[in-house]
């Protein structure tokens, strides 16, 4: 049986969701409070740039924006055993005394978000960290929630939510379909 894709968002609907997320981020900030938006690469990197553009247009100011790749820090993905050293992540601005918005395209198990939260707190002492995602598909493995959500969906465990951005894919679209690859956790090292 062939898997069919269902389009959840595309074009203007996706743009509206991103604009709404930018407004919600601004609503969380007190007047004069420092904040930063940090995207989780790869797709969260595209999303955070779009959100930052909207915030800057709405707020008439430049904001602190950065992306980070947390893949090598995940505990549930196979990784190169090589030296076992992981490159530190750093930003060109301090996270101290800021509200940090952690931005990703999709939140599912919560594992990527947990790693990103750990890294953020290792890099500084933010006032608060809030999670903003374009799509929340539910079914967490960890007690993590998204504070700002573009769209909530329920999909079966075997399905995948794919976010396409025109910068990388030539089209703005969120689709559900296809098989979700089953993650195999590395054996525990006692």
């Amino acid at each position: 049986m062939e898997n069919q894709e269902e389009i959840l968002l595309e074009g203007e609907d996706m743009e509206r969701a991103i604009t709404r997320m930018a407004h919600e981020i601004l609503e969380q900030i007190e007047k004069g409070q420092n904040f930063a938006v940090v995207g989780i690469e790869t797709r969260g990197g595209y999303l955070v740039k779009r959100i930052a553009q909207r915030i800057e247009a709405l707020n008439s100011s430049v904001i602190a924006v950065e992306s980070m790749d947390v893949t090598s820090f995940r505990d549930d993905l196979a990784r190169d055993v090589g030296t076992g050293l992981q490159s530190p992540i750093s930003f060109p601005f301090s996270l101290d005394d800021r509200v940090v918005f952690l931005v990703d395209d999709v939140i599912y198990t919560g594992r990527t978000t947990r790693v990103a939260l750990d890294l953020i707190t290792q890099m500084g002492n933010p006032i608060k960290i809030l999670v903003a995602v374009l799509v929340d598909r539910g079914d967490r493995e960890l007690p993590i929630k998204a504070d700002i959500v573009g769209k909530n969906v329920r999909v079966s465990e075997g399905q995948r939510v794919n976010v396409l951005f025109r910068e990388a894919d030539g089209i703005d679209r969120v689709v559900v379909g296809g098989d979700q690859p089953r993650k195999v956790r590395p054996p525990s090292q006692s």
Side-chain angles (χ1 to χ4, degrees), residues 5-48:
E5 290 187 341
E6 174 190 353
I7 297 172
L8 297 177
L9 292 170
E10 65 181 336
E12 288 182 18
D13 289 336
M14 191 163 153
E15 288 295 323
R16 273 192 293 277
I18 293 169
T19 299
R20 188 174 62 250
M21 291 173 68
H23 279 280
E24 288 184 43
I25 287 171
L26 286 173
E27 289 171 6
Q28 297 288 330
I29 303 299
E30 295 176 19
K31 188 172 178 122
Q33 195 171 42
N34 286 329
F35 70 99
V37 288
V38 177
I40 301 173
E41 292 183 357
T42 303
R43 301 295 171 171
Y46 298 118
L47 179 59
V48 79

Side-chain angles (χ1 to χ4, degrees), residues 10-12 18 22 25 32 41 44 48 54 60 76-77 81 86 93 98 111 113 122 143 160 175 178 181 189:
E10 65 181 336
E12 288 182 18
I18 293 169
I25 287 171
E41 292 183 357
V48 79
R54 294 206 180 44
S60 299
D76 62 335
L77 299 177
V81 285
Q86 298 164 335
F93 52 84
R98 288 185 192 260
R111 292 185 173 280
T113 305
Q122 289 172 20
R160 219 177 139 73
V175 295
Q189 300 171 3

Side-chain angles (χ1 to χ4, degrees), residues 65-94:
V65 59
E66 192 60 60
S67 293
M68 64 181 182
D69 183 355
V70 303
T71 307
S72 64
F73 297 90
R74 294 271 307 251
D75 65 354
D76 62 335
L77 299 177
R79 53 187 126 156
D80 185 0
V81 285
T83 63
L85 298 176
Q86 298 164 335
S87 300
I89 293 176
S90 63
F91 296 152
F93 52 84
S94 172

Side-chain angles (χ1 to χ4, degrees), residues 54 57-58 151 172:
R54 294 206 180 44
L58 292 166
K151 183 158 184 80
D172 285 339

